[in-house]
Amino acid sequence: MAAKSSILTQSNQVRRAIVVGGGLGGLMTVIKLCEAGIPVDLLSLVPVKRSHSVCAQGGINASVNVKGEGDSPYTHFYETVKGGDFLANQPPCKGMADAAPGIVFMLDRMGVPFNRTPEGNLDFRRFGGTLFHRTAFAGATTGQQLLYALDEQVRRYETLDVEDDRGVTVPGEKMVRKFEFWDLAGLVLDDSGVCRGVVAQDLKNGEMRAFRGDAVCLATGGPGLVFGRSTNSVINTGSAAAIAYKQGAIYANGEFIQVHPTAIPAADKLRLISESVRGEGGRVWVPKDRKDRRHGRDIPEAERYYFLEERYPKYRNLVPRDIASREIFRTVIHEGYSAEGEQAAYLDVTHLCKTAAGKSAVRKKLEGVLEIYEKFAGADPYENPMKIFPAVHYSMGGLWVDFEKGADGSLKPGSARNQATSIPGLYATGESDYQYHGANRLGANSLLSCIYGGMVTGPAMAAWRDAQPQSAFDLSSTLFDTEHKRRVDEYAALGSRSGSDYSVNPYQLHEKLGEMMLQKVTVERHDAELDGVLSSLQDMKAQWRKAAALDPAAKGTINQPTVFLRHLDGMLALAEVIARGARDREECRGAHYKPALDPELHPDDPKAVGRDDARWLKTTLATFDGEGPALRYEAVDVSLEPLAKRDYGKVSAAKPPPGEAAAQGPANT
Amino acid sequence: MATDTVTLKIKRGESGGASRWEEFRVPRKPMMNVISCLMEIQKHPVTADGRGTTPVNWESSCLEEVCGACTMVINGRVRQACSALVKDLSPKGEPITLEPMTKFPRERDLVVNRQRMFDALRTTKAWIQIDGSHQLGAGPKVSQDDQEVMYPLSRCMTCGCCVEACPNYNDRSDFMGPQVISLTRLYNMHPSGRMQAGARLDALMGAGGISDCGKAQNCVQVCPKGIPLTESISVMGRETIKRALFGWLLKG
């Protein structure tokens, strides 16, 4: 019996789809599935309201043209692919930019408390990567507010009954069942390689359980923890994506890791200071005297070096993130400038706060961000320039997903191919996919891509489900029992790692991994160092096999150290994908930068090719060969707009800038 | 007291079991917070008196005080561990105590089960009911003044600080807590959320609702986001009274 013909199995089991991950991408997927009448099991590492989407600060892009500047979704599309150094497939980006105004209106209807104009309309602010006011925002905690809105809608579906095909309520069954504090342990693949469900673990008691699903989506976020400390939440290990990769899913463009220019260094994580701070007028500088040890506020204007403004007179402080991060890195690390003698630069809003009215305006728009600086750095950012340094922030790469192009050249909504990974029946969305940002993400495009991805994934999963001749719920239980047993045994083996054979502390191993990746695979990449990283990763994988379960006696209860072993295994696998992709890509593109190939540094070296479209306008595809990644490449769909030089020194002539300052920096979200 | 190390006294234990205190000493670093101390213990799970032990279990996610996960009782006060800086808690090397929240069942060490708070959000229909996620044009207009009231209310992380401090919230009472009352105010202010205001007020007038508030006003003092919880309780108190007196006339 085809799955579409019945919500219930003969034994009255509800046929459900599975979404793993409860951030913006996952929740939007759930909402779309429910609207299509498909009940969902939603699995999440944390209560979905605590997902990493809360960390997005600055806003969400949508060309509503509310200020009458002549902005359009097409311009947004173009700036997105240009910001990504033309590595993104253009049809999905076009689909996203076209859908953006409708997405912001939907969020507004859901009750997101967006900032308003005096007329009561949505207010939009300037962000990097554009000349227009295109970013809707709710204070400086926009991601949190968007997540809460979707969380609330999904909570409503937790109260709505499942109805059978005749519209009769199925007793006790709700449209959404949440499994919070559950961790993905494996995918259930049938003999033809189709994903039929997952095995997941209840982190409260260690219980492993197989879930059947007529389509499965991973919306499990990025792998920021591979770099140890980053702007990411501590749950962002990439474990679920790594499990899918190890079970055959293609991981694409892993080497493209966004380093955000402005974060506060600390021992546990690097906290983001939103690009909206620069969007609202914040300036980046260092003392002109490299030996200057005075407090930032005591250094007179004439003794400050506004290096971004000098080097990029048009885009000034809002050059794209990859460029700003490289400039700060270069200025501080190579040129030896500092902030109070520390390896940092200043991000300064104090000039906007000289009057009470100015300070109040800054507070209304940026309070959530500035309060992070105040709380964690312990200094008042309204009075003191903030000390910042670049930090790993976002992975443009992720699970490879497909798309179907419509007659208009844009993504074709409703196709089962959209957001489909290389494993049939398995979908991916949000930061865990690779689709929308090319080689560098524009600020305030991540919230958009998560929600757009979800809007596309739900209908794609519904179409897939309807096209299957046999439902996962009609398959023999052997398939599920086998994967279940495999994962139970695997976990038991991890949990029994004690004694002298297991001398490695997994948290220390993680620290080593993070420090190495942070030093050698971020802003500047050198082939010799990458070779060293790849070799060290082999050693670290061997050490992982000696890593101990630090709490082997804890069974039937929370056991964070043992679960961490699984996540660390995934991080090591993705670290190798990232480093291998970086080593093999012989060009500079977006966030991937090799000084040896930079023609500005080596004008006379024919090998310093910069961006090399002839050879490298290609998506990196990594597959797991049993040991590590095997790479191949596929062409990028650039069917809508021709490639252009990505030059932020000269403003594109396509549109005259509204006003003088041309901001092209990815804003922070 | 040594200031090159941080001393932590941590209340540990299993679900339903007895508690025990363990003391740790970790190297002191600049800008250190309680989370980074706990991370140090993961890397060196040894107590201050040199006994090997297990890493402490605790809940955390964003570490920026926007997710609410790492809430615990630190030096006797409920707050997020991420924004609890060592230099403030222990300027001269004083020991820092960590305990799990007391108003929720302990699951292990510093992890408690806060599901009760999320259940309350279902009871009070804590959402704006929309007709669907398809295109229905722009949302309702909202004045800047209203937005400035609504945005702070909407920053509630469901962290549990307010109910931890509330004398009326405990395992012998059904009280849903100040956070739910404040969020009801938010949804009832929204131009379309207002259309279901009556149903939400009914929930607040039911079991565990607003009448269980004892007006101790502890909640507003511990809210990490400075949400005006007592103001919300008084606004919603008036609304529920209006509904109790005149609701039968209004059909709402």
Side-chain angles (χ1 to χ4, degrees):
Chain A
M1 185 186 294
K4 64 183 168 186
S5 62
S6 181
I7 287 290
L8 291 180
T9 66
Q10 287 182 343
S11 57
N12 278 340
Q13 213 184 343
V14 174
R15 295 180 208 271
R16 291 176 179 269
I18 295 170
V19 174
V20 185
L24 287 175
L27 295 179
M28 195 65 230
T29 303
V30 169
I31 291 168
K32 282 294 181 187
L33 284 166
C34 288
E35 288 184 345
I38 300 172
V40 184
D41 279 343
L42 170 58
L43 282 62
S44 172
L45 266 181
V46 291
V48 299
K49 194 173 177 176
R50 312 204 194 285
S51 301
H52 178 60
S53 302
V54 292
C55 288
Q57 296 169 358
I60 178 167
N61 285 333
S63 294
V64 178
N65 193 31
V66 79
K67 310 263 183 198
E69 297 164 333
D71 191 15
S72 72
Y74 198 87
T75 307
H76 181 192
F77 152 68
Y78 182 72
E79 289 175 345
T80 297
V81 295
K82 180 188 169 194
D85 225 346
F86 297 93
L87 193 65
N89 291 307
Q90 294 185 359
C93 293
K94 171 101 171 26
M96 176 174 81
D98 286 343
I103 285 172
V104 170
F105 291 150
M106 173 197 76
L107 293 165
D108 190 23
R109 288 170 42 233
M110 288 177 177
V112 174
F114 284 117
N115 283 55
R116 299 283 163 171
T117 65
E119 194 186 330
N121 293 318
L122 297 171
D123 197 4
F124 286 77
R125 66 172 151 214
R126 282 275 301 286
F127 251 58
T130 184
L131 308 176
F132 299 99
H133 288 79
R134 185 185 289 154
T135 305
F137 60 103
T141 60
T142 312
Q144 178 195 43
Q145 297 304 312
L146 266 49
L147 183 74
Y148 290 1
L150 298 191
D151 173 56
E152 289 154 11
Q153 296 301 316
V154 169
R155 185 164 290 110
R156 179 165 166 256
Y157 280 112
E158 277 188 281
T159 69
L160 296 185
D161 297 314
V162 174
E163 294 179 352
D164 70 14
D165 308 291
R166 294 163 297 148
V168 179
T169 297
V170 183
E173 294 283 356
K174 302 296 181 188
M175 284 303 286
V176 171
R177 298 195 300 189
K178 269 189 198 155
F179 295 84
E180 291 170 326
F181 300 106
W182 283 70
D183 189 26
L184 185 82
L187 302 175
V188 179
L189 306 181
D190 70 16
D191 293 343
S192 341
V194 176
C195 184
R196 297 299 200 163
V198 301
V199 174
Q201 184 175 33
D202 184 346
L203 298 179
K204 293 290 177 80
N205 58 25
E207 179 210 343
M208 204 69 83
R209 177 170 162 187
F211 293 77
R212 295 174 186 238
D214 278 332
V216 177
C217 175
L218 299 186
T220 48
L225 269 272
V226 166
F227 295 85
R229 293 172 304 150
S230 72
T231 66
N232 281 208
S233 296
V234 293
I235 53 176
N236 294 9
T237 61
S239 172
I243 286 168
Y245 157 72
K246 285 195 165 185
Q247 287 190 259
I250 295 171
Y251 198 93
N253 285 347
E255 65 268 35
F256 291 95
I257 296 289
Q258 177 162 83
V259 177
H260 193 288
T262 62
I264 323 168
D268 56 333
K269 89 170 277 191
L270 309 172
R271 293 179 179 84
L272 180 70
I273 295 297
S274 167
E275 190 165 292
S276 58
V277 171
R278 282 173 287 142
E280 300 289 355
R283 304 174 76 186
V284 175
W285 60 274
V286 286
K288 280 183 179 167
D289 177 358
R290 288 169 220 220
K291 296 197 179 96
D292 203 326
R293 295 292 183 271
R294 287 175 292 177
H295 286 296
R297 63 169 183 268
D298 298 331
I299 298 172
E301 181 73 13
E303 295 174 37
R304 299 175 174 192
Y305 176 22
Y306 292 94
F307 55 96
L308 286 176
E309 297 173 24
E310 289 194 17
R311 293 172 193 169
Y312 297 88
K314 285 196 172 169
Y315 286 89
R316 298 163 66 86
N317 293 288
L318 281 167
V319 288
R321 287 179 181 172
D322 54 335
I323 295 172
S325 288
R326 275 197 288 280
E327 294 294 354
I328 294 172
F329 194 86
R330 182 181 129 195
T331 305
V332 172
I333 301 295
H334 297 317
E335 297 172 0
Y337 291 94
S338 68
E340 290 173 40
E342 295 169 27
Q343 284 196 346
Y346 288 113
L347 171 60
D348 194 352
V349 294
T350 58
H351 59 287
L352 304 170
C353 304
K354 300 281 188 220
T355 65
K359 188 169 173 178
S360 160
V362 168
R363 192 182 293 278
K364 271 181 195 166
K365 291 182 169 176
L366 298 174
E367 184 173 17
V369 178
L370 299 181
E371 133 190 319
I372 287 177
Y373 191 82
E374 194 154 13
K375 284 200 177 180
F376 292 95
D380 176 2
Y382 298 94
E383 304 290 336
N384 297 281
M386 296 176 275
K387 280 186 274 186
I388 52 87
F389 197 69
V392 168
H393 182 52
Y394 186 89
S395 173
M396 277 70 74
L399 292 169
W400 179 88
V401 291
D402 199 4
F403 63 92
E404 182 169 349
K405 183 158 65 172
D408 60 352
S410 184
L411 177 139
K412 182 180 175 185
S415 165
R417 282 176 56 195
N418 296 332
Q419 304 288 139
T421 70
S422 58
I423 295 178
L426 180 70
Y427 290 76
T429 197
E431 192 176 340
S432 59
D433 82 38
Y434 90 110
Q435 190 67 285
Y436 298 94
H437 307 295
N440 172 62
R441 175 172 68 73
L442 282 195
N445 262 358
S446 64
L447 294 179
L448 177 62
S449 66
C450 284
I451 295 179
Y452 178 69
M455 295 189 103
V456 168
T457 306
M461 290 167 75
W464 163 265
R465 170 190 184 274
D466 289 352
Q468 294 313 298
Q470 194 178 28
S471 160
F473 291 83
D474 298 325
L475 299 174
S476 144
S477 62
T478 315
L479 180 66
F480 300 91
D481 295 344
T482 306
E483 180 68 16
H484 178 258
K485 180 167 188 312
R486 182 181 152 211
R487 298 302 182 175
V488 167
D489 293 348
E490 184 181 83
Y491 184 75
L494 292 179
S496 65
R497 286 182 175 198
S498 60
S500 56
D501 289 347
Y502 299 103
S503 53
V504 175
N505 176 303
Y507 296 102
Q508 290 180 15
L509 179 56
H510 177 234
E511 186 176 35
K512 266 193 240 168
L513 169 71
E515 277 172 10
M516 177 180 75
M517 294 297 287
L518 199 55
Q519 278 174 21
K520 298 180 175 166
V521 202
T522 53
V523 178
E524 293 185 353
R525 296 164 171 183
H526 303 275
D527 283 345
E529 288 190 353
L530 292 168
D531 286 334
V533 166
L534 286 163
S535 151
S536 297
L537 282 171
Q538 299 312 312
D539 296 342
M540 289 185 186
K541 286 198 290 185
Q543 286 183 49
W544 179 84
R545 288 189 280 275
K546 292 183 184 167
L550 299 177
D551 200 354
K555 296 192 170 32
T557 181
I558 296 172
N559 189 335
Q560 293 173 347
T562 303
V563 172
F564 184 72
L565 286 170
R566 170 162 65 227
H567 285 246
L568 182 57
D569 183 38
M571 285 189 266
L572 288 162
L574 294 184
E576 208 175 354
V577 171
I578 293 164
R580 172 52 64 191
R583 174 64 182 84
D584 287 6
R585 185 173 281 271
E586 292 169 343
E587 66 160 351
C588 300
R589 186 184 296 271
H592 173 69
Y593 174 75
K594 290 185 171 174
L597 302 180
D598 182 352
E600 271 187 39
L601 299 181
H602 310 283
D604 302 323
D605 183 351
K607 281 183 287 185
V609 289
R611 189 179 93 193
D612 186 352
D613 290 329
R615 290 172 63 218
W616 288 103
L617 182 63
K618 286 173 184 162
T619 300
T620 309
L621 306 179
T623 43
F624 184 64
D625 68 5
E627 290 293 324
L631 301 191
R632 59 202 164 83
Y633 298 89
E634 74 170 9
V636 179
D637 184 330
V638 289
S639 51
L640 292 167
E641 276 291 328
L643 303 191
K645 184 164 182 242
R646 184 169 173 258
D647 184 351
Y648 292 95
K650 295 170 192 159
V651 179
S652 161
K655 292 279 176 193
E660 200 262 324
Q664 167 64 19
N668 130 29
T669 62
Chain B
M1 282 177 279
T3 48
D4 54 343
T5 57
V6 186
T7 303
L8 297 122
K9 293 182 174 174
I10 303 179
K11 193 183 205 175
R12 303 191 59 177
E14 309 300 318
S15 169
S19 300
R20 66 182 193 281
W21 286 89
E22 277 186 353
E23 190 169 321
F24 297 89
R25 219 161 279 141
V26 301
R28 201 174 172 111
K29 294 177 187 167
M31 288 181 72
M32 203 173 196
N33 59 3
V34 165
I35 298 282
S36 41
C37 295
L38 290 167
M39 288 174 165
E40 279 301 316
I41 295 172
Q42 289 179 321
K43 284 177 232 163
H44 304 281
V46 177
T47 61
D49 52 11
R51 280 182 303 110
T53 184
T54 54
V56 179
N57 292 278
W58 81 95
E59 221 185 297
S60 64
S61 181
C62 79
L63 309 191
E64 292 179 5
E65 208 192 69
V66 281
C67 83
C70 65
T71 310
M72 58 184 73
V73 178
I74 300 172
N75 285 354
R77 183 187 166 94
V78 66
R79 57 186 299 182
Q80 278 74 51
C82 63
S83 53
L85 303 186
V86 167
K87 72 176 175 64
D88 301 331
L89 295 166
S90 168
K92 295 180 190 152
E94 301 90 330
I96 298 171
T97 63
L98 307 182
E99 299 170 76
M101 282 191 277
T102 60
K103 297 296 176 70
F104 302 99
R106 176 170 66 193
E107 300 206 304
R108 199 170 186 217
D109 295 343
L110 300 170
V111 183
V112 296
N113 186 332
R114 286 177 274 181
Q115 185 58 36
R116 177 175 165 186
M117 282 195 295
F118 293 107
D119 291 344
L121 294 176
R122 283 204 290 267
T123 305
T124 53
K125 303 184 195 309
W127 51 75
I128 305 295
Q129 192 165 339
I130 61 167
D131 291 340
S133 66
H134 51 289
Q135 292 313 302
L136 289 169
K141 293 201 180 193
V142 174
S143 71
Q144 288 182 332
D145 287 350
D146 281 354
Q147 192 270 344
E148 283 169 26
V149 176
M150 292 162 73
Y151 172 67
L153 301 180
S154 189
R155 294 182 72 196
C156 172
M157 309 181 285
T158 319
C159 65
C161 285
C162 59
V163 298
E164 176 70 18
C166 172
N168 295 52
Y169 192 95
N170 52 58
D171 56 9
R172 300 173 307 282
S173 126
D174 292 332
F175 186 38
M176 292 186 286
Q179 84 290 3
V180 165
I181 299 169
S182 187
L183 281 174
T184 306
R185 178 184 176 206
L186 168 68
Y187 305 119
N188 282 9
M189 265 191 87
H190 186 268
S192 40
R194 187 175 293 156
M195 297 172 196
Q196 282 79 36
R200 289 190 208 97
L201 289 175
D202 288 344
L204 277 196
M205 292 155 70
I210 194 164
S211 63
D212 286 3
C213 167
K215 301 192 171 53
Q217 310 206 7
N218 292 357
C219 52
V220 74
Q221 292 173 36
V222 297
C223 176
K225 296 289 119 176
I227 298 171
L229 293 165
T230 46
E231 179 189 298
S232 290
I233 291 169
S234 107
V235 168
M236 296 318 286
R238 283 199 299 277
E239 293 293 312
T240 50
I241 289 167
K242 270 196 267 176
R243 184 160 176 86
L245 292 176
F246 308 116
W248 57 279
L249 283 173
L250 302 171
K251 289 188 191 172

